[in-house]
């Protein structure tokens, strides 16, 4: 596990095995909002079919979007409690944090699945514990904490458990009604 720039996890063709489609905006929240609007308004995909997948820095825009708009579910892979908390061991919110996930995750109404490497030294596993503890009780799905996995190799170290965990989460989603935000609440959260 070495620090530095590394590619996102190579999910390769796993999305085909998982029976899902991928739309991967590469940058921040504005791009994800535009992608969400394209999926729902242009392509007619119902929000109840959209699962956000936020890996590392992408967890910030995913939590932000899910706290403001209805989606079917959220997967947070190697997510952080907040950007500032990655750089220090602060346990309190600070002004100016671009992605205070731990402060926003309680506003997320849909199910949340957290996947994290226990040996992640970039975003230590305590971030996953803090995020899981901050979820609404009805939104929390049991996290997948992978022993001997770091920040960039969770799916490789976990092997079939990674895909099996995701499939179980999808099955769990199918077995429960979608959490619906009221129209007024959606409008309020957009601002």
């Amino acid at each position: 596990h070495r620090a530095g720039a590394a590619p996102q996890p190579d999910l390769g063709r796993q999305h085909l095995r998982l029976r899902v489609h991928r739309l991967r905006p590469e940058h921040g929240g504005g791009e994800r909002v535009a992608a969400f609007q394209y999926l729902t308004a242009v392509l007619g995909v119902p929000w109840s079919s959209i699962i956000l997948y936020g890996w590392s820095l992408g967890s910030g825009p995913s939590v932000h979007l899910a706290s403001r708009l209805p989606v079917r579910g959220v997967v947070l892979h190697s997510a952080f409690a907040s950007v500032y908390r990655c750089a220090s061991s602060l346990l309190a919110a600070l002004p100016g944090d671009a992605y205070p996930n731990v402060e926003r995750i309680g506003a997320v109404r849909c199910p949340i699945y957290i996947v994290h490497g226990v040996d992640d030294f970039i975003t230590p596993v305590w971030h996953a514990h803090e995020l899981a503890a901050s979820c609404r009780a009805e939104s929390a799905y049991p996290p997948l904490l992978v022993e001997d996995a770091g920040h960039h190799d969770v799916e490789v170290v976990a092997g079939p458990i990674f895909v099996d965990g995701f499939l179980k989460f999808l099955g769990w989603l199918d077995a429960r009604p979608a959490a619906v935000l009221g129209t007024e609440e959606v409008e309020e959260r957009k601002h």
Side-chain angles (χ1 to χ4, degrees), residues 39-105:
L39 283 172
T40 56
V42 176
L43 297 180
V45 174
W47 66 265
S48 58
S49 295
I50 299 172
I51 299 172
L52 302 176
Y53 192 106
W55 177 75
S56 191
L57 187 57
S59 66
S62 293
V63 170
H64 180 72
L65 184 62
S67 72
R68 299 177 57 142
L69 297 170
V71 295
R72 185 64 181 108
V74 178
V75 177
L76 299 177
H77 179 157
S78 300
F80 51 84
S82 80
V83 171
Y84 286 165
R85 292 179 199 188
C86 279
S88 69
S89 57
L90 289 174
L91 296 178
L94 290 174
D97 192 337
Y99 298 121
N101 289 345
V102 73
E103 308 299 329
R104 291 180 177 156
I105 203 163

Side-chain angles (χ1 to χ4, degrees), residues 8-30:
Q8 289 188 4
D10 180 15
L11 300 178
R13 296 190 166 278
Q14 287 189 20
H15 72 283
L16 298 174
R17 289 186 12 209
L18 295 170
R19 302 181 316 271
V20 298
H21 298 283
R22 294 188 305 176
L23 175 66
R24 265 180 44 182
E26 294 297 325
H27 299 289

Side-chain angles (χ1 to χ4, degrees), residues 162-178:
F162 181 83
V163 173
D164 291 344
F166 194 80
L167 288 173
K168 285 179 183 172
F169 177 64
L170 293 178
W172 188 72
L173 288 177
D174 287 345
R176 12 178 329 118

Side-chain angles (χ1 to χ4, degrees), residues 104-117:
R104 291 180 177 156
I105 203 163
V108 176
R109 307 267 314 261
C110 65
I112 301 167
Y113 178 40
I114 296 171
V115 178
H116 211 99

Side-chain angles (χ1 to χ4, degrees), residues 142-177:
L144 173 62
L145 303 177
V146 182
E147 294 289 334
D148 301 319
H151 194 73
H152 302 289
D153 63 355
V154 172
E155 68 287 351
V156 173
V157 173
I161 295 169
F162 181 83
V163 173
D164 291 344
F166 194 80
L167 288 173
K168 285 179 183 172
F169 177 64
L170 293 178
W172 188 72
L173 288 177
D174 287 345
R176 12 178 329 118

